[in-house]
Amino acid sequence: MQASLYFSTVEKQDIVIIGAGNVAHHLGHELSKAGHFIVQIYSKTDKSASGLAKALNTAYTTDINKINKSASFYLIAIRDDHISEVASQLNLVGKIVAHTSATVPMDVLKPASNYYGVFYPLQTLTTNRAVDFRSVPVCIEASSEPVKKKLTDIANTISKNVHYLDGEKRKALHVAAVFVNNFTNRLYHIAYEIAKSEDLDFELLKPLIKETVNKLENTIPEALQTGPASRNDLKTIEEHLYYLMDNPDFKEVYLILTESIMQANKEKSTPYE
Amino acid sequence: MQASLYFSTVEKQDIVIIGAGNVAHHLGHELSKAGHFIVQIYSKTDKSASGLAKALNTAYTTDINKINKSASFYLIAIRDDHISEVASQLNLVGKIVAHTSATVPMDVLKPASNYYGVFYPLQTLTTNRAVDFRSVPVCIEASSEPVKKKLTDIANTISKNVHYLDGEKRKALHVAAVFVNNFTNRLYHIAYEIAKSEDLDFELLKPLIKETVNKLENTIPEALQTGPASRNDLKTIEEHLYYLMDNPDFKEVYLILTESIMQANKEKSTPYE
C-alpha cells in the first residue's frame, strides 16, 4: 500500500479484477486512475485477459487457481450467469469480494469470502467509449458494516454519485434502466429504420431526441407527455398504424405504447371511478 | 417592407399568425426575432389571442372575417382537425398560406389561396421553454416553385436546418418522431414510477438517459442495443416480468419491446432461413 503518495484519505487497494469485458474494462481504468493498484486480471480466455492486462499495465491469468491471493479487493465483473460458479471456486477468506451485477443476489458470493458485497455501476458501458465516470451512480450493497464502509470508500474514489441500495431496490432500478436505455434505444432503432425507408437522414430526428431528454431537467416525464395518444387524436393514430401495417413488429410497439399513454390519460381524467 | 434595415438578402415578411398555441408562440417569436413583422394574431379565444399579441407587441382578432388582408404570409398553427375548416373560411388569393402540421395534407389549404404550402418545425415545443431554434429542422412543402422558394427563404431566417419534404415523407417523419419523443417519454414515465415506488430518486437514472442519447452521436442505434433481451437472458427477463406483475400496463410494454428486440436478433442471426 502506498496511500501516502496520493494525498487521499482513502486507503489505496490492491485489486484483482475477475472478468475482462466492458464493465471490467471501465472499472479497471477508473480504479487505476484513482490510484488503486490493479495487481491482476483473470479471464477464461487468454485474448481478453491479456488485452485488459496490457491496457492496465498489469499481470493476468486464465487459471482460476492462480488468482493472486495477496490483494485486498476482488471485483467480479463477468456475465450474471457465471458469477455463482466462479464465486464457488474462489477461496478468499478475509478478503473483500464484490460483483458488479444488477440482478444477481449478493449472497451468491458467500462461498468466496466472509466479506462480500455488490459494486454496481448504473451506466451503459462500451469498451471503446469514454464516459464521465464521476457522475455514474455506483450502487453498493454489503454483507456487513465494515464491508459497506470499504466499498463506499472505494466507490467514492471514482464517482461522486455513490448510493447504498439493497438487492430488491437494485433490481427495481435495473428494470427502470432497461426501460430508459434498452427500450429507448429500440425506439431509436425503429425511428432510424422508418427514416431510412423514406431516404430521410436520421440526423433530422436528433434535435428532437436531445430536446426530449433536456426537458427532463426540471419537469417530470408525466407532465411532458405530448403527441397523438396524449391528445386522444384517433385519426392520426389510425393513419400511423396504417403507415406501419407492413411491419407488424413496429406496429405492435406503436399500438402498445399508444394504449399505455391513453390508459394513463383515462386514469387521470376519471379520478372518481 | 424595411428589408434594407436588416443586412439580409431575404425580404422581410408581413405575417399574420393564425393560432396562439405552442407552435404559434414559438414561430411567432422566432420570426419576429428574425426581423419579420407579425402584423396580427388570430385565435378563437380572446385570452390566447391577446396573450400572444401582447407578447409579440402586435394586434389581434378573434373574428376570422377581420383577419388583416394586407400581409404577405399567413401561418396557420392550429390543431390538425381545425385546419381544413379554418382554411375554407379564409380568402387570401395571391397570398402565401402555410400550415404547420405534420399530418394534414397540403391541399386542404387550396380553398384559402392559390399559393400554399407546409411549414412544419420538427420539435417538441412548450410555451414556457426556450429551444435553440437554429437547429430545429423546418420541413417545407409547397404547391409551386415560387412558393417553395419563398417558404424556404423564410425558414432559413430562423433555422439552419431547412428541408423540402413531400407529404408522405413528412408523415413518415412524424411517425418516427412519435417513437423518439412521445414513446420515449412514456418509457421515462414508467421508469419514474418504478423508481418512485421504491423510494429511489429519478435523478439516479439521468446519467444513463443522457448517455443513451450521447452514444447516438457516432453510432447507429442497432449497434448500441444492449440488455437482457439483446443477449437473450431469459432468466433476467422472467425476473423483471415477475417484478412488474402488479402493473399489467408496464408489464405489457416490457414484453412487447423485449419481443421486438429478440425478434430483431433472431433475424440477424439466421440470415439463411
Side-chain angles (χ1 to χ4, degrees):
Chain A
M1 295 289 163
Q2 302 177 35
S4 59
L5 282 175
Y6 289 92
F7 305 101
S8 161
T9 55
V10 179
E11 216 181 345
K12 300 304 165 184
Q13 305 295 317
D14 287 344
I15 302 174
V16 171
I17 294 179
I18 294 164
N22 287 337
V23 176
H25 171 97
H26 277 274
L27 287 177
H29 277 87
E30 294 300 326
L31 290 165
S32 176
K33 239 170 53 188
H36 302 288
F37 305 98
I38 314 298
V39 297
Q40 192 187 39
I41 307 295
Y42 161 77
S43 171
K44 269 200 304 194
T45 61
D46 194 272
K47 194 183 164 198
S48 53
S50 65
L52 183 54
K54 198 176 168 193
L56 295 173
N57 194 24
T58 189
Y60 73 92
T61 182
T62 57
D63 181 349
I64 200 161
N65 297 309
K66 292 191 179 157
I67 284 178
N68 187 325
K69 298 281 169 121
S70 68
S72 53
F73 179 41
Y74 293 78
L75 187 61
I76 305 180
I78 60 178
R79 282 177 57 118
D80 287 0
D81 47 355
H82 294 167
I83 295 174
S84 180
E85 197 203 327
V86 165
S88 71
Q89 296 175 65
L90 299 171
N91 186 0
L92 301 163
V93 179
K95 311 292 189 174
I96 293 182
V97 181
H99 73 61
T100 59
S101 164
T103 47
V104 173
M106 171 174 73
D107 287 348
V108 307
L109 301 180
K110 241 180 191 166
S113 172
N114 43 339
Y115 300 115
Y116 54 92
V118 176
F119 195 97
Y120 165 56
L122 175 60
Q123 187 51 283
T124 167
L125 301 170
T126 316
T127 299
N128 291 318
R129 188 181 154 82
V131 292
D132 171 20
F133 217 95
R134 298 295 302 162
S135 66
V136 173
V138 179
C139 304
I140 300 295
E141 189 184 10
S143 61
S144 65
E145 278 300 315
V147 176
K148 176 181 171 182
K149 167 90 173 62
K150 195 76 134 189
L151 291 178
T152 304
D153 283 350
I154 297 171
N156 280 330
T157 65
I158 61 172
S159 168
K160 54 180 170 45
N161 201 355
V162 180
H163 302 266
Y164 190 83
L165 302 186
D166 66 30
E168 273 307 300
K169 280 196 201 309
R170 187 172 70 250
K171 185 186 283 179
L173 191 61
H174 186 233
V175 176
V178 166
F179 278 92
V180 302
N181 172 265
N182 306 160
F183 292 166
T184 293
N185 190 70
R186 180 67 185 166
L187 298 181
Y188 295 158
H189 170 70
I190 293 173
Y192 180 94
E193 289 296 318
I194 292 170
K196 200 174 78 173
S197 72
E198 301 281 346
D199 269 325
L200 292 167
D201 193 339
F202 186 58
E203 288 298 319
L204 271 170
L205 290 159
K206 288 195 180 170
L208 178 60
I209 287 172
K210 285 178 191 165
E211 175 67 4
T212 304
V213 171
N214 290 342
K215 276 187 163 183
L216 292 176
E217 251 162 55
N218 39 29
T219 315
I220 65 169
E222 187 179 17
L224 296 169
Q225 192 63 59
T226 57
S230 172
R231 60 176 184 267
N232 210 24
D233 178 352
L234 298 178
K235 188 161 171 288
T236 299
I237 291 167
E238 262 171 43
E239 282 180 34
H240 287 183
L241 289 171
Y242 183 80
Y243 176 83
L244 294 168
M245 72 177 172
D246 291 336
N247 194 316
D249 172 22
F250 295 179
K251 189 178 162 187
E252 185 73 1
V253 171
Y254 186 101
L255 203 56
I256 294 298
L257 281 160
T258 292
E259 280 172 4
S260 179
I261 294 167
M262 290 176 95
Q263 183 61 34
N265 278 348
K266 216 167 134 189
E267 281 160 16
K268 264 194 296 187
S269 59
T270 56
Y272 300 112
E273 279 180 24
Chain B
M1 294 290 165
Q2 303 178 34
S4 60
L5 282 175
Y6 289 92
F7 306 101
S8 161
T9 56
V10 180
E11 215 181 344
K12 299 303 164 184
Q13 306 295 318
D14 286 344
I15 302 173
V16 171
I17 294 179
I18 293 163
N22 287 336
V23 176
H25 170 97
H26 278 273
L27 288 176
H29 277 87
E30 294 300 326
L31 290 164
S32 176
K33 238 169 51 186
H36 302 289
F37 305 98
I38 314 298
V39 297
Q40 191 186 39
I41 307 294
Y42 161 77
S43 172
K44 269 199 304 193
T45 60
D46 194 89
K47 195 183 163 197
S48 54
S50 64
L52 182 54
K54 197 176 168 193
L56 295 173
N57 194 23
T58 188
Y60 74 92
T61 180
T62 57
D63 180 351
I64 200 161
N65 297 310
K66 293 192 179 155
I67 284 177
N68 185 326
K69 298 281 169 122
S70 68
S72 53
F73 179 41
Y74 293 77
L75 188 61
I76 305 179
I78 60 177
R79 282 177 57 118
D80 287 2
D81 48 354
H82 294 167
I83 294 174
S84 180
E85 196 204 326
V86 166
S88 71
Q89 295 176 66
L90 299 171
N91 186 0
L92 301 164
V93 180
K95 311 294 190 172
I96 292 183
V97 181
H99 72 62
T100 60
S101 164
T103 47
V104 173
M106 171 174 72
D107 288 349
V108 306
L109 301 180
K110 241 179 190 165
S113 171
N114 42 342
Y115 300 116
Y116 55 92
V118 176
F119 196 97
Y120 165 55
L122 175 59
Q123 188 50 282
T124 167
L125 302 170
T126 316
T127 299
N128 291 317
R129 191 183 151 83
V131 292
D132 171 21
F133 217 94
R134 298 295 303 163
S135 65
V136 173
V138 179
C139 305
I140 299 295
E141 189 184 8
S143 61
S144 65
E145 277 301 315
V147 177
K148 176 180 171 181
K149 167 90 173 62
K150 195 75 134 188
L151 290 179
T152 303
D153 284 349
I154 298 171
N156 280 329
T157 65
I158 61 172
S159 168
K160 54 180 170 46
N161 201 355
V162 180
H163 303 266
Y164 191 83
L165 302 185
D166 65 29
E168 273 307 299
K169 280 196 201 307
R170 187 173 69 251
K171 186 186 283 181
L173 191 62
H174 186 234
V175 176
V178 166
F179 278 93
V180 303
N181 172 266
N182 306 159
F183 293 166
T184 293
N185 189 70
R186 181 65 187 167
L187 297 182
Y188 296 157
H189 170 70
I190 292 174
Y192 180 93
E193 289 295 318
I194 292 170
K196 200 174 76 173
S197 72
E198 301 281 347
D199 269 326
L200 292 167
D201 194 338
F202 186 58
E203 288 298 319
L204 271 170
L205 291 159
K206 288 193 180 170
L208 177 60
I209 287 172
K210 286 179 190 163
E211 176 67 4
T212 304
V213 171
N214 290 342
K215 277 188 162 182
L216 292 175
E217 251 163 55
N218 39 30
T219 316
I220 65 170
E222 188 179 17
L224 296 170
Q225 193 61 59
T226 57
S230 172
R231 60 176 185 267
N232 211 24
D233 178 352
L234 298 178
K235 188 162 171 288
T236 299
I237 292 167
E238 262 171 46
E239 280 180 36
H240 287 181
L241 289 172
Y242 183 78
Y243 176 82
L244 294 167
M245 74 175 171
D246 290 336
N247 194 317
D249 172 23
F250 295 179
K251 189 179 163 187
E252 186 74 0
V253 171
Y254 187 102
L255 202 58
I256 294 297
L257 281 160
T258 292
E259 280 172 3
S260 179
I261 293 168
M262 291 177 94
Q263 183 61 33
N265 278 348
K266 213 166 134 189
E267 281 160 16
K268 265 193 297 186
S269 59
T270 57
Y272 301 111
E273 280 180 20

